Amino acid sequence: MLTPDATWFERDPLELAPLLLGGVLRRADAAGTVALRLTEVEAYRGSDDPGAHTFRGKTARNATMFGPGGHVYCYFTYGMHHAVNIVAGPEGLGWGVLVRAGSVVEGHDLAAERRHVRRSTRIAGELARGPGNVAQALGATLADDGAPLVPLFAGRGGRAAGAPVTRPAPHPDRLDPQARAELTAPRAGRVGGAAAVSRPPVTWSFEPAPTPPPHTTGPRVGVSGPGGDASAYPWRFWIPGEPSVSAYRPAAPRKRS
């Protein structure tokens, strides 16, 4: 059985991506816990990958990707939704794996509430199909960027199972408008903007599948330019037959003014 510690994620994203399939990614906060069995991911490989956020180097936005593996890289995209990535490899390389889809295995009602889905259509396979839906179901925002992944099994000196990780509050300037409002809005029990009672910490964890399931590979979804070349970068990995896996679509051509 795999027993991940912080270094378990410090491998090439092309190796890590298929190992994530079938594993359970879990996020817990004051509202509750949502867990996804991962069914679709995409690998991104830094300066060797023109489709990666980190292809042109380190910026304030992508700095987390240049840290050591085993952290959450969360970003806001298209002015619409967040996306969740797992940082891979050793520090300094800008490697990571995008979580594209998963099946909800814990916290169905909370995930459906976050997705604004009616009870009659709360289907586990549809709640977290696509990166934006993954982040929304988990409750992830830019405030989660940089959060460490806690291993559910202690191993090779890893953190004990379930040990909480308390992170300092992010600076409001780094947050998208929704997350900034959530962080700075007045709340009952606050005095002068400070919380009278500390809120439970947000925790992330990942439990690999004992045996990773068979998978299929193909081109990444919506990646434009050279990074979208299906023959050169078939770096999307998914479990065939899973209803949560998203349909492939190429990048939309950019309109010229």
Side-chain angles (χ1 to χ4, degrees):
M1 179 179 291
L2 294 172
T3 54
D5 57 24
T7 63
W8 186 83
F9 299 96
E10 294 183 8
R11 62 183 81 206
D12 192 302
L14 296 177
E15 178 188 357
L16 178 63
L19 295 179
L20 296 176
L21 294 175
V24 176
L25 179 66
R26 180 177 281 103
R27 181 184 182 276
D29 62 16
T33 299
V34 172
L36 305 179
R37 175 179 177 265
L38 302 189
T39 59
E40 181 186 8
V41 297
E42 290 178 346
Y44 289 88
R45 210 165 178 272
S47 60
D48 295 330
D49 179 2
H53 281 188
T54 52
F55 178 61
R56 300 187 185 281
K58 186 176 181 179
T59 67
R61 182 195 190 202
N62 67 24
T64 295
M65 285 275 277
F66 286 88
H71 289 78
V72 174
Y73 168 49
C74 190
Y75 62 89
F76 193 60
T77 183
Y78 299 118
M80 296 171 57
H81 58 75
H82 297 85
V84 172
N85 300 254
I86 296 174
V87 180
E91 188 169 1
L93 294 180
W95 290 352
V97 178
L98 170 68
V99 179
R100 279 205 56 85
S103 178
V104 179
V105 295
E106 182 180 352
H108 296 78
D109 287 348
L110 179 56
E113 180 182 343
R114 287 169 170 165
R115 289 285 330 282
H116 308 292
V117 176
R118 292 182 302 174
R119 181 176 296 276
S120 60
T121 57
R122 291 181 180 183
I123 302 173
E126 297 180 356
L127 288 174
R129 178 190 292 151
N133 293 336
V134 164
Q136 191 174 14
L138 288 169
T141 70
L142 289 184
D144 292 277
D145 185 40
L149 282 176
V150 180
L152 293 182
F153 301 102
R156 301 196 300 276
R159 188 184 302 273
V165 177
T166 303
R167 303 180 61 243
H171 192 283
D173 290 345
R174 292 196 63 200
L175 305 181
D176 62 276
Q178 178 182 348
R180 186 184 304 119
E182 293 173 356
L183 182 67
T184 59
R187 291 187 176 89
R190 282 194 173 191
V191 179
V197 179
S198 61
R199 289 181 290 174
V202 173
T203 61
W204 288 79
S205 62
F206 181 74
E207 179 182 356
T211 302
H215 66 274
T216 301
T217 63
R220 296 175 296 194
V221 176
V223 177
S224 61
D229 186 329
S231 60
Y233 302 97
W235 292 355
R236 174 174 166 243
F237 301 76
W238 70 93
I239 302 173
E242 284 286 340
S244 58
V245 173
S246 55
Y248 171 73
R249 68 179 189 282
R254 295 182 179 179
K255 295 181 179 180
R256 296 182 180 274
S257 56

